Amino acid sequence: TDVTAARLLEQAHRESERLLLNILPEPIADRLKRGETVIADRFDEMTVLFADVVGFTQLSIRLTPAEIIDLLNSVFSDFDELAERYGLEKIKTIGDAYMVAGGLNDGSADYTGAMADLALAVRDAVALDFAVDGRPLALRIGIGIHVGPVIVGEMGYGSATTITAIGDAVNTASRLQSAAPAGGILVDAASASMIRSAVGLEPVPPLELKGKAMPVPAWRVARPEMELHATRSVPAARLIGREDELDELRQAFRRVVKRQQVCLVTVLG
């Protein structure tokens, strides 16, 4: 019937919208839908974040391909949710690295402060236990943030379309991430001067970064890392028959950290 055909058409439209937003940031997707064929813009001040799972190459040697993909999907799904919450746009993932940008749609917003808050949130989320086949993993990430000029454009054709970002801000954020210690978040002077959120900054010795002629002044975002692994000094003991309850408790704790919401958990027995 006509009604059924209309419903199927609407369902197909919603699915195409979902797939498009999975590939491209919303501002870029909207422009494509309006008929623009070549999308390439220059942003004089875009905030870029790079995050990378420290030691993931060595970790992946011990995992099967399916376990690697499942683990990264779990980690990056958390990152996606947090980026959306802070009003930031995921640009791409490259292996175990994650790239986010702020400033694609509203240059007046405090994207640098939001990016610092996001960095702390994803750091704390990763510090929570992830598990592969019941085996807990203690993950840490290094993060770099930089503000500067970026060219953003659409690349590829059809279903292979992606968005790419090119420029000094991208390169510098990547270099800062490479210099960051496990669990560390590094920003340069440009980013530090623009952070207006309630985060602490501690100076670190100037960094020798690839592609930079002079050492780069840098600061560490200094809100204390959550102490989520204090019980690891206790000899491991299996909770026979209580594994499901323990997993539910872990998931509830993760939700509290990610969403900063109160969660009531009742433990019996």
Side-chain angles (χ1 to χ4, degrees):
T1 66
D2 291 343
V3 173
T4 301
R7 288 176 178 172
L8 290 174
L9 184 61
E10 176 63 24
Q11 182 179 352
H13 177 71
R14 288 196 302 267
E15 180 65 15
S16 66
E17 289 277 299
R18 184 187 67 81
L19 292 173
L20 187 62
L21 291 175
N22 280 343
I23 298 170
L24 300 173
E26 186 172 358
I28 304 296
D30 288 341
R31 291 169 62 182
L32 284 175
K33 287 185 290 183
R34 290 196 297 268
E36 292 189 45
T37 56
V38 178
I39 294 179
D41 293 310
R42 177 184 175 85
F43 297 83
D44 292 328
E45 284 191 347
M46 177 172 286
T47 307
V48 179
L49 175 149
F50 265 93
D52 187 83
V53 181
V54 177
F56 190 82
T57 300
Q58 290 73 25
L59 173 64
S60 64
I61 295 174
R62 309 198 308 265
L63 303 177
T64 68
E67 289 173 337
I68 292 170
I69 297 302
D70 184 62
L71 176 61
L72 286 178
N73 185 54
S74 297
V75 172
F76 290 158
S77 292
D78 284 354
F79 289 9
D80 288 347
E81 182 179 339
L82 289 166
E84 182 177 355
R85 173 182 154 195
Y86 286 101
L88 302 165
E89 300 283 355
K90 179 178 76 172
I91 299 298
K92 64 174 69 177
T93 60
I94 310 168
D96 59 308
Y98 189 92
M99 179 182 175
V100 184
L104 278 174
N105 47 10
D106 182 3
S108 65
D110 181 17
Y111 282 110
T112 308
M115 198 70 83
D117 291 334
L118 171 66
L120 289 161
V122 299
R123 184 197 66 180
D124 291 344
V126 168
L128 296 167
D129 279 342
F130 283 87
V132 172
D133 195 24
R135 305 188 306 273
L137 300 173
L139 301 179
R140 289 292 185 270
I141 57 174
I143 297 174
I145 300 173
H146 179 64
V147 178
V150 175
I151 294 172
V152 176
E154 177 202 8
M155 302 286 286
Y157 176 78
S159 61
T161 296
T162 61
I163 200 73
T164 191
I166 305 167
D168 180 69
V170 177
N171 296 335
T172 303
S174 177
R175 303 290 185 248
L176 287 167
Q177 176 272 309
S178 297
I185 303 165
L186 294 181
V187 301
D188 69 334
S191 305
S193 66
M194 296 180 68
I195 291 177
R196 299 192 291 273
S197 60
V199 300
L201 294 173
E202 294 179 354
V204 300
L207 302 173
E208 299 281 351
L209 300 182
K210 182 179 178 181
K212 300 294 182 180
M214 301 294 291
V216 175
W219 285 259
R220 182 174 69 90
V221 179
R223 188 185 298 168
E225 186 168 5
M226 297 180 64
E227 295 295 334
L228 298 176
H229 295 280
T231 59
R232 290 184 179 274
S233 61
V234 179
R238 288 184 57 80
L239 300 179
I240 305 300
R242 305 299 298 273
E243 291 87 353
D244 291 342
E245 290 89 339
L246 181 60
D247 183 63
E248 290 180 10
L249 185 60
R250 284 197 182 111
Q251 295 300 322
F253 190 43
R254 290 180 65 194
R255 290 194 295 272
V256 169
V257 174
K258 286 168 53 182
R259 302 173 186 171
Q260 299 181 3
Q261 295 176 343
V262 174
C263 179
L264 177 63
V265 178
T266 303
V267 180
L268 301 177

